[in-house]
Amino acid sequence: MSERRYLVKEMFGPTLQGEGAHAGRAVVFLRFAACNLDCPGCDTDFSPDGAERLLASEIVDRLRALDGGRTHRVVVTGGEPTLQWDAPLAAALRSAGFYVHMESNGTRTLGAPVDWLTVSPKPQHHPARVALAQHLPADELKVVIDDSVDEAVLDRYSARYRCEHYFVQPWMDARYQHNLARTLALIYARPRWRLSLQIHKIVGVP
């Protein structure tokens, strides 16, 4: 059987993790192509156009070359990374000394462990055939705030996901100021939730 090739949209860095509990840390990024959702206003190009099919060893070599400061931290994202994440790639990155931080939409179980899992659920944008997966080992929950998210929604999330870190993040679109005001109001009403901002966009790094 031939070795698997992964559909990779881009790899870049060093840059900053812009969101959540690790915001401000130096990292490199591995972005897979393809997603099982089509959320309106998504700010990420995960289309297969321009993506490359790479072996695990090729991915590791490129990430090592990008990681000149030896952060040893890679953010694995997409698209939806669980569509491709598997044990051989996880083992290759671990053997290379990388701490793996993944962000997922929470609709699929993991094909292999990661060191840190961010779940960012968006069920309001799911097609009928897609549901949130059960029993994900989330380290943090990040809810992007638009008009569909209220206190009751946050309460359901906090009951579903038992983790240490709960973040709300304003959708950074044309209605950003409105979304930010809603986000702050939700934090005041539910203080266990903390503000996450996309600081990489604010400071102007990829």
Side-chain angles (χ1 to χ4, degrees), residues 63-79:
L63 290 173
R64 277 177 163 161
L66 290 168
D67 193 25
R70 297 187 179 180
T71 69
H72 300 299
R73 291 180 180 270
V74 57
V75 178
V76 180
T77 185

Side-chain angles (χ1 to χ4, degrees), residues 53-138:
R53 291 199 174 273
L54 300 174
L55 299 170
S57 58
E58 295 172 322
I59 291 171
V60 168
D61 287 346
R62 291 197 193 182
L63 290 173
R64 277 177 163 161
L66 290 168
D67 193 25
R70 297 187 179 180
T71 69
H72 300 299
R73 291 180 180 270
V74 57
V75 178
V76 180
T77 185
E80 175 48 41
T82 59
L83 293 169
Q84 300 189 66
W85 182 251
D86 63 6
L89 181 55
L93 288 170
R94 184 175 294 278
S95 294
F98 280 102
Y99 178 98
V100 176
H101 177 162
M102 177 179 287
E103 179 169 334
S104 169
N105 60 31
T107 60
R108 296 170 52 86
T109 57
L110 300 183
V114 297
D115 297 293
W116 186 273
L117 177 62
T118 301
V119 175
S120 183
K122 303 173 183 69
Q124 68 271 34
H125 302 307
H126 289 192
R129 59 183 171 75
V130 177
L132 291 172
Q134 298 292 327
H135 311 302
L136 289 176

Side-chain angles (χ1 to χ4, degrees), residues 166-180:
Y166 296 88
F167 289 98
V168 280
Q169 180 173 292
W171 204 299
M172 207 166 184
D173 60 7
R175 304 183 74 217
Y176 177 69
Q177 292 302 321
H178 170 80
N179 296 333
L180 176 59

Side-chain angles (χ1 to χ4, degrees), residues 17 27 50 60 63 67 97 101 126 131 139 143 160 182 186 198:
Q17 169 58 286
V27 295
V60 168
L63 290 173
D67 193 25
H101 177 162
H126 289 192
D139 294 286
V143 178
R160 182 186 186 99
R182 281 184 55 80
L186 288 169
Q198 295 178 290

Side-chain angles (χ1 to χ4, degrees), residues 151-169:
E151 294 169 28
V153 170
L154 293 185
D155 291 344
R156 289 196 294 271
Y157 284 145
S158 59
R160 182 186 186 99
Y161 298 97
R162 301 293 185 175
C163 55
E164 184 177 353
H165 303 279
Y166 296 88
F167 289 98
V168 280
Q169 180 173 292

